[in-house]
Amino acid sequence: MVQIAVLVIASLITFTAGYVAYSRYLSQFVELDEEAETPAHKYEDGQEYVPAKKSVLLGHHYSSIAGGAPIVGPITAGAAFGWLPAIAWIAIGNPLMGAVHDFMSLSASVRHEGKSIGYIVGEYVGERGKDMLLWFAFLTIILVIAVFALVVGVVFDAYPSSATASMIYITLALLFGVYLYQLDLPFLPGAVAFVALVFGGVWVGLQFPIALVDTGSHAADTVYLLGDAAAWNWLPLSEAQNPNVAAWVPVILVYGFVASVLPVWVLLQPRDFLTSSLLYVGVGGMLLGVLVATVMGLFGGGFSVAFSGTTYTSLQTNLPAFLGFNSALGPLFPFLFVTIACGTISGFHSLVSSGTTAKQLDRETDARDIGYGAMLGEGLLATTAVAALAIIGTTNFGSGLAGALANFPAGGAVMLGAGFGIPTAAGAAFIGLVFVSFLLTSTDTAVRLGRYMFEEIIGTPETSVEQATTNRYVNAGILQCIPAYLLVASGQWASLWPLFGSANQTLAALALLAATLWLANWDDSKQLLSTGVPLVLMLAVTLTALLWIGLYRAPTSLLAADGLVNQISFVVQIIISLTLVYLAASLAKIGYDNIKKARGSLPEGAMPSDD
């Protein structure tokens, strides 16, 4: 067994080296200029283009990118392959690939008037390339919605107290929005009061845990809203998970739909502030808990923390370092990399970096801390996820890899208990709330981004069909949430999450392509290795994974599937994975031709047409 502190310190060392040395080099390489006028100043309009202090923008950016995926991915990969491959990919890949991706996406957007990655691609390869990238991102969004709805259902089933706390949290976010924007009351006292109430919601959750369906697996004091499981066995997912999880999933999708069509001041903005508060306390508390307990142990201090019938007297790994090259997810290459996904590199971040963040950057030099530094912070979140899984070990995997997700609140409770003496029941409920708050944020933000992308694809609606598809209710509900439910209804977590990770990391490769196109067309003297090497590696990994899913796994599962819903889910997986391969390969070919032309190795006029 290995001390958990070793995992944490390993990531801290590589992250520190990356920030001190590599991010400094990249800042000089793209010639960040503290005196240059950023889009936030040039186009300041009080709405979208608004200069923000670095500390404020860092908080916004971090809370936007640090969703549920850097928890889900590392835990799922660790449960499949062991903690060592997971922590190694996070510690090495994050500073060399993920942080580079985020920094370059932000810097490229700032140099292109704060425009999106899709716009940047279109700038160099035309409208066809731009539309292909937007379609790719839209399909990826559907996968995000599907997998996060399932994960929330799994966590709510494992920790009903977190379900109660989450309901209170959403209610408080709505009230905080009214407090700020309708009543126009002062921010600071309101922020203090509402954050305190969110933490109070954890206590309420412990007193009144809520589940939708009684499966006979919850504590005696659990409140059931829909009655006994026998009446709900017909729900899709009931067999793959259980009726309670199956009932929660459509509720979460309805929440995502409603939240995505509300004005941003009603829920999104106040909720993001409350989420960031949970983020700092939760992740910081877990990391500090490990370090405090370790230091206490070095000086003869000890602890005894009991959770679910197990007593922990040391923070050591209880999960094997390596579980083999094959798993329920598939072979280690490529599925370790696409499963960890956002903990190391995430295409979703390019949408944030080139979306809201680039329009608020006060000085170009702030991009180093916000672009590169925030991704390292997400890597620390991923590290805590692996550490939590390693502490609990191989218990609570009763529902397969999805069941391993319940180990994040459990491991977090042990960390908080070891370092600060916090009761494990309260610690698990709080970390469960932290986990779910990330997931809910990611879910409804994804639906909202999907609406924006589809509207950009359509442009100005000219037909009745185009007008209908750009309607926010039709787009969010019919084009996004319903396909997401068809995907998740099969309950095949082991295939669904890798499909999402493959799509998301292919999007990251395409964002790196956009940055490489920018560099290649900017100056012949600019080296292309910093973005080109991660681009090639990620395309190799992700296209292999998508082809494996589309040509082997999903067709095999389709032939063995029982029930129409399961069969439809696998058909949708085949269509999405092969469509993503086509879009990514086509974009890569178009981008490669542009780079060759920009560097003088392609004859004039040999570029593909923009039709």
PDB file of all heavy atoms in Angstrom, residues 569-591:
ATOM      1  N   SER A 569     -30.550   2.857 -28.240  1.00  0.00           N
ATOM      2  CA  SER A 569     -29.387   3.491 -27.627  1.00  0.00           C
ATOM      3  C   SER A 569     -28.101   3.103 -28.349  1.00  0.00           C
ATOM      4  O   SER A 569     -27.253   3.947 -28.644  1.00  0.00           O
ATOM      5  CB  SER A 569     -29.301   3.113 -26.147  1.00  0.00           C
ATOM      6  OG  SER A 569     -28.130   3.644 -25.562  1.00  0.00           O
ATOM      7  N   PHE A 570     -27.951   1.814 -28.663  1.00  0.00           N
ATOM      8  CA  PHE A 570     -26.720   1.370 -29.327  1.00  0.00           C
ATOM      9  C   PHE A 570     -26.660   1.849 -30.775  1.00  0.00           C
ATOM     10  O   PHE A 570     -25.581   2.141 -31.295  1.00  0.00           O
ATOM     11  CB  PHE A 570     -26.599  -0.150 -29.248  1.00  0.00           C
ATOM     12  CG  PHE A 570     -26.290  -0.642 -27.857  1.00  0.00           C
ATOM     13  CD1 PHE A 570     -27.148  -1.509 -27.203  1.00  0.00           C
ATOM     14  CD2 PHE A 570     -25.142  -0.219 -27.193  1.00  0.00           C
ATOM     15  CE1 PHE A 570     -26.878  -1.947 -25.919  1.00  0.00           C
ATOM     16  CE2 PHE A 570     -24.860  -0.659 -25.909  1.00  0.00           C
ATOM     17  CZ  PHE A 570     -25.724  -1.521 -25.267  1.00  0.00           C
ATOM     18  N   VAL A 571     -27.801   1.943 -31.431  1.00  0.00           N
ATOM     19  CA  VAL A 571     -27.826   2.495 -32.789  1.00  0.00           C
ATOM     20  C   VAL A 571     -27.382   3.952 -32.766  1.00  0.00           C
ATOM     21  O   VAL A 571     -26.581   4.402 -33.614  1.00  0.00           O
ATOM     22  CB  VAL A 571     -29.232   2.367 -33.408  1.00  0.00           C
ATOM     23  CG1 VAL A 571     -29.323   3.181 -34.705  1.00  0.00           C
ATOM     24  CG2 VAL A 571     -29.566   0.912 -33.687  1.00  0.00           C
ATOM     25  N   VAL A 572     -27.885   4.716 -31.786  1.00  0.00           N
ATOM     26  CA  VAL A 572     -27.484   6.123 -31.657  1.00  0.00           C
ATOM     27  C   VAL A 572     -25.988   6.224 -31.394  1.00  0.00           C
ATOM     28  O   VAL A 572     -25.296   7.098 -31.947  1.00  0.00           O
ATOM     29  CB  VAL A 572     -28.288   6.815 -30.535  1.00  0.00           C
ATOM     30  CG1 VAL A 572     -27.759   8.222 -30.291  1.00  0.00           C
ATOM     31  CG2 VAL A 572     -29.767   6.874 -30.900  1.00  0.00           C
ATOM     32  N   GLN A 573     -25.445   5.323 -30.559  1.00  0.00           N
ATOM     33  CA  GLN A 573     -24.004   5.335 -30.290  1.00  0.00           C
ATOM     34  C   GLN A 573     -23.201   5.088 -31.566  1.00  0.00           C
ATOM     35  O   GLN A 573     -22.173   5.737 -31.808  1.00  0.00           O
ATOM     36  CB  GLN A 573     -23.660   4.278 -29.241  1.00  0.00           C
ATOM     37  CG  GLN A 573     -24.129   4.620 -27.837  1.00  0.00           C
ATOM     38  CD  GLN A 573     -23.604   3.643 -26.806  1.00  0.00           C
ATOM     39  OE1 GLN A 573     -22.456   3.238 -26.862  1.00  0.00           O
ATOM     40  NE2 GLN A 573     -24.446   3.265 -25.853  1.00  0.00           N
ATOM     41  N   ILE A 574     -23.642   4.143 -32.388  1.00  0.00           N
ATOM     42  CA  ILE A 574     -22.950   3.855 -33.646  1.00  0.00           C
ATOM     43  C   ILE A 574     -22.960   5.082 -34.551  1.00  0.00           C
ATOM     44  O   ILE A 574     -21.926   5.483 -35.107  1.00  0.00           O
ATOM     45  CB  ILE A 574     -23.607   2.658 -34.360  1.00  0.00           C
ATOM     46  CG1 ILE A 574     -23.410   1.375 -33.554  1.00  0.00           C
ATOM     47  CG2 ILE A 574     -23.027   2.488 -35.765  1.00  0.00           C
ATOM     48  CD1 ILE A 574     -24.224   0.197 -34.063  1.00  0.00           C
ATOM     49  N   ILE A 575     -24.141   5.691 -34.694  1.00  0.00           N
ATOM     50  CA  ILE A 575     -24.275   6.858 -35.580  1.00  0.00           C
ATOM     51  C   ILE A 575     -23.394   8.005 -35.103  1.00  0.00           C
ATOM     52  O   ILE A 575     -22.655   8.622 -35.888  1.00  0.00           O
ATOM     53  CB  ILE A 575     -25.747   7.298 -35.664  1.00  0.00           C
ATOM     54  CG1 ILE A 575     -26.581   6.222 -36.374  1.00  0.00           C
ATOM     55  CG2 ILE A 575     -25.872   8.633 -36.392  1.00  0.00           C
ATOM     56  CD1 ILE A 575     -28.082   6.469 -36.325  1.00  0.00           C
ATOM     57  N   ILE A 576     -23.448   8.304 -33.798  1.00  0.00           N
ATOM     58  CA  ILE A 576     -22.678   9.428 -33.274  1.00  0.00           C
ATOM     59  C   ILE A 576     -21.183   9.176 -33.412  1.00  0.00           C
ATOM     60  O   ILE A 576     -20.428  10.048 -33.871  1.00  0.00           O
ATOM     61  CB  ILE A 576     -23.057   9.698 -31.804  1.00  0.00           C
ATOM     62  CG1 ILE A 576     -24.455  10.310 -31.712  1.00  0.00           C
ATOM     63  CG2 ILE A 576     -22.040  10.629 -31.152  1.00  0.00           C
ATOM     64  CD1 ILE A 576     -24.904  10.630 -30.305  1.00  0.00           C
ATOM     65  N   SER A 577     -20.719   7.992 -33.034  1.00  0.00           N
ATOM     66  CA  SER A 577     -19.270   7.737 -33.051  1.00  0.00           C
ATOM     67  C   SER A 577     -18.716   7.806 -34.471  1.00  0.00           C
ATOM     68  O   SER A 577     -17.658   8.436 -34.698  1.00  0.00           O
ATOM     69  CB  SER A 577     -18.964   6.373 -32.421  1.00  0.00           C
ATOM     70  OG  SER A 577     -19.624   5.332 -33.092  1.00  0.00           O
ATOM     71  N   LEU A 578     -19.394   7.207 -35.441  1.00  0.00           N
ATOM     72  CA  LEU A 578     -18.888   7.224 -36.815  1.00  0.00           C
ATOM     73  C   LEU A 578     -19.018   8.609 -37.453  1.00  0.00           C
ATOM     74  O   LEU A 578     -18.154   9.024 -38.248  1.00  0.00           O
ATOM     75  CB  LEU A 578     -19.610   6.171 -37.655  1.00  0.00           C
ATOM     76  CG  LEU A 578     -19.374   4.714 -37.211  1.00  0.00           C
ATOM     77  CD1 LEU A 578     -20.102   3.748 -38.132  1.00  0.00           C
ATOM     78  CD2 LEU A 578     -17.882   4.402 -37.165  1.00  0.00           C
ATOM     79  N   THR A 579     -20.072   9.337 -37.086  1.00  0.00           N
ATOM     80  CA  THR A 579     -20.200  10.715 -37.578  1.00  0.00           C
ATOM     81  C   THR A 579     -19.069  11.586 -37.039  1.00  0.00           C
ATOM     82  O   THR A 579     -18.492  12.408 -37.775  1.00  0.00           O
ATOM     83  CB  THR A 579     -21.559  11.313 -37.166  1.00  0.00           C
ATOM     84  OG1 THR A 579     -22.611  10.514 -37.700  1.00  0.00           O
ATOM     85  CG2 THR A 579     -21.701  12.739 -37.678  1.00  0.00           C
ATOM     86  N   LEU A 580     -18.727  11.408 -35.762  1.00  0.00           N
ATOM     87  CA  LEU A 580     -17.636  12.172 -35.171  1.00  0.00           C
ATOM     88  C   LEU A 580     -16.304  11.844 -35.829  1.00  0.00           C
ATOM     89  O   LEU A 580     -15.464  12.731 -36.033  1.00  0.00           O
ATOM     90  CB  LEU A 580     -17.563  11.908 -33.669  1.00  0.00           C
ATOM     91  CG  LEU A 580     -18.743  12.410 -32.829  1.00  0.00           C
ATOM     92  CD1 LEU A 580     -18.555  12.041 -31.363  1.00  0.00           C
ATOM     93  CD2 LEU A 580     -18.935  13.916 -32.974  1.00  0.00           C
ATOM     94  N   VAL A 581     -16.083  10.576 -36.174  1.00  0.00           N
ATOM     95  CA  VAL A 581     -14.847  10.190 -36.874  1.00  0.00           C
ATOM     96  C   VAL A 581     -14.752  10.918 -38.210  1.00  0.00           C
ATOM     97  O   VAL A 581     -13.698  11.469 -38.566  1.00  0.00           O
ATOM     98  CB  VAL A 581     -14.788   8.667 -37.089  1.00  0.00           C
ATOM     99  CG1 VAL A 581     -13.654   8.300 -38.051  1.00  0.00           C
ATOM    100  CG2 VAL A 581     -14.586   7.948 -35.766  1.00  0.00           C
ATOM    101  N   TYR A 582     -15.852  10.915 -38.956  1.00  0.00           N
ATOM    102  CA  TYR A 582     -15.854  11.587 -40.261  1.00  0.00           C
ATOM    103  C   TYR A 582     -15.570  13.080 -40.122  1.00  0.00           C
ATOM    104  O   TYR A 582     -14.731  13.636 -40.845  1.00  0.00           O
ATOM    105  CB  TYR A 582     -17.202  11.381 -40.955  1.00  0.00           C
ATOM    106  CG  TYR A 582     -17.394  12.281 -42.156  1.00  0.00           C
ATOM    107  CD1 TYR A 582     -16.722  12.035 -43.338  1.00  0.00           C
ATOM    108  CD2 TYR A 582     -18.219  13.407 -42.072  1.00  0.00           C
ATOM    109  CE1 TYR A 582     -16.872  12.885 -44.432  1.00  0.00           C
ATOM    110  CE2 TYR A 582     -18.387  14.252 -43.164  1.00  0.00           C
ATOM    111  CZ  TYR A 582     -17.704  13.987 -44.345  1.00  0.00           C
ATOM    112  OH  TYR A 582     -17.843  14.831 -45.418  1.00  0.00           O
ATOM    113  N   LEU A 583     -16.261  13.738 -39.178  1.00  0.00           N
ATOM    114  CA  LEU A 583     -16.069  15.177 -39.003  1.00  0.00           C
ATOM    115  C   LEU A 583     -14.642  15.497 -38.583  1.00  0.00           C
ATOM    116  O   LEU A 583     -14.008  16.419 -39.118  1.00  0.00           O
ATOM    117  CB  LEU A 583     -17.063  15.706 -37.963  1.00  0.00           C
ATOM    118  CG  LEU A 583     -18.535  15.711 -38.366  1.00  0.00           C
ATOM    119  CD1 LEU A 583     -19.409  16.089 -37.166  1.00  0.00           C
ATOM    120  CD2 LEU A 583     -18.786  16.670 -39.520  1.00  0.00           C
ATOM    121  N   ALA A 584     -14.105  14.734 -37.627  1.00  0.00           N
ATOM    122  CA  ALA A 584     -12.760  15.008 -37.125  1.00  0.00           C
ATOM    123  C   ALA A 584     -11.707  14.756 -38.200  1.00  0.00           C
ATOM    124  O   ALA A 584     -10.777  15.563 -38.387  1.00  0.00           O
ATOM    125  CB  ALA A 584     -12.474  14.153 -35.895  1.00  0.00           C
ATOM    126  N   ALA A 585     -11.822  13.642 -38.918  1.00  0.00           N
ATOM    127  CA  ALA A 585     -10.839  13.329 -39.958  1.00  0.00           C
ATOM    128  C   ALA A 585     -10.888  14.357 -41.076  1.00  0.00           C
ATOM    129  O   ALA A 585      -9.836  14.772 -41.606  1.00  0.00           O
ATOM    130  CB  ALA A 585     -11.099  11.924 -40.497  1.00  0.00           C
ATOM    131  N   SER A 586     -12.079  14.783 -41.437  1.00  0.00           N
ATOM    132  CA  SER A 586     -12.213  15.782 -42.505  1.00  0.00           C
ATOM    133  C   SER A 586     -11.599  17.111 -42.075  1.00  0.00           C
ATOM    134  O   SER A 586     -10.880  17.764 -42.854  1.00  0.00           O
ATOM    135  CB  SER A 586     -13.692  15.971 -42.862  1.00  0.00           C
ATOM    136  OG  SER A 586     -14.264  14.775 -43.323  1.00  0.00           O
ATOM    137  N   LEU A 587     -11.883  17.534 -40.851  1.00  0.00           N
ATOM    138  CA  LEU A 587     -11.310  18.785 -40.351  1.00  0.00           C
ATOM    139  C   LEU A 587      -9.795  18.706 -40.260  1.00  0.00           C
ATOM    140  O   LEU A 587      -9.085  19.665 -40.591  1.00  0.00           O
ATOM    141  CB  LEU A 587     -11.909  19.121 -38.986  1.00  0.00           C
ATOM    142  CG  LEU A 587     -13.208  19.909 -38.992  1.00  0.00           C
ATOM    143  CD1 LEU A 587     -13.839  19.902 -37.613  1.00  0.00           C
ATOM    144  CD2 LEU A 587     -12.962  21.343 -39.453  1.00  0.00           C
ATOM    145  N   ALA A 588      -9.281  17.566 -39.801  1.00  0.00           N
ATOM    146  CA  ALA A 588      -7.834  17.401 -39.702  1.00  0.00           C
ATOM    147  C   ALA A 588      -7.180  17.499 -41.081  1.00  0.00           C
ATOM    148  O   ALA A 588      -6.121  18.121 -41.229  1.00  0.00           O
ATOM    149  CB  ALA A 588      -7.506  16.061 -39.052  1.00  0.00           C
ATOM    150  N   LYS A 589      -7.808  16.891 -42.111  1.00  0.00           N
ATOM    151  CA  LYS A 589      -7.256  16.964 -43.471  1.00  0.00           C
ATOM    152  C   LYS A 589      -7.282  18.388 -44.005  1.00  0.00           C
ATOM    153  O   LYS A 589      -6.290  18.880 -44.571  1.00  0.00           O
ATOM    154  CB  LYS A 589      -8.083  16.054 -44.388  1.00  0.00           C
ATOM    155  CG  LYS A 589      -7.660  16.090 -45.859  1.00  0.00           C
ATOM    156  CD  LYS A 589      -6.223  15.646 -46.045  1.00  0.00           C
ATOM    157  CE  LYS A 589      -5.895  15.405 -47.515  1.00  0.00           C
ATOM    158  NZ  LYS A 589      -6.026  16.605 -48.367  1.00  0.00           N
ATOM    159  N   ILE A 590      -8.390  19.085 -43.810  1.00  0.00           N
ATOM    160  CA  ILE A 590      -8.481  20.473 -44.268  1.00  0.00           C
ATOM    161  C   ILE A 590      -7.446  21.334 -43.558  1.00  0.00           C
ATOM    162  O   ILE A 590      -6.765  22.169 -44.170  1.00  0.00           O
ATOM    163  CB  ILE A 590      -9.910  21.024 -44.030  1.00  0.00           C
ATOM    164  CG1 ILE A 590     -10.927  20.269 -44.878  1.00  0.00           C
ATOM    165  CG2 ILE A 590      -9.974  22.515 -44.338  1.00  0.00           C
ATOM    166  CD1 ILE A 590     -12.372  20.612 -44.550  1.00  0.00           C
ATOM    167  N   GLY A 591      -7.314  21.155 -42.221  1.00  0.00           N
ATOM    168  CA  GLY A 591      -6.331  21.933 -41.463  1.00  0.00           C
ATOM    169  C   GLY A 591      -4.910  21.625 -41.876  1.00  0.00           C
ATOM    170  O   GLY A 591      -4.066  22.534 -41.973  1.00  0.00           O
TER     171      GLY A 591
END
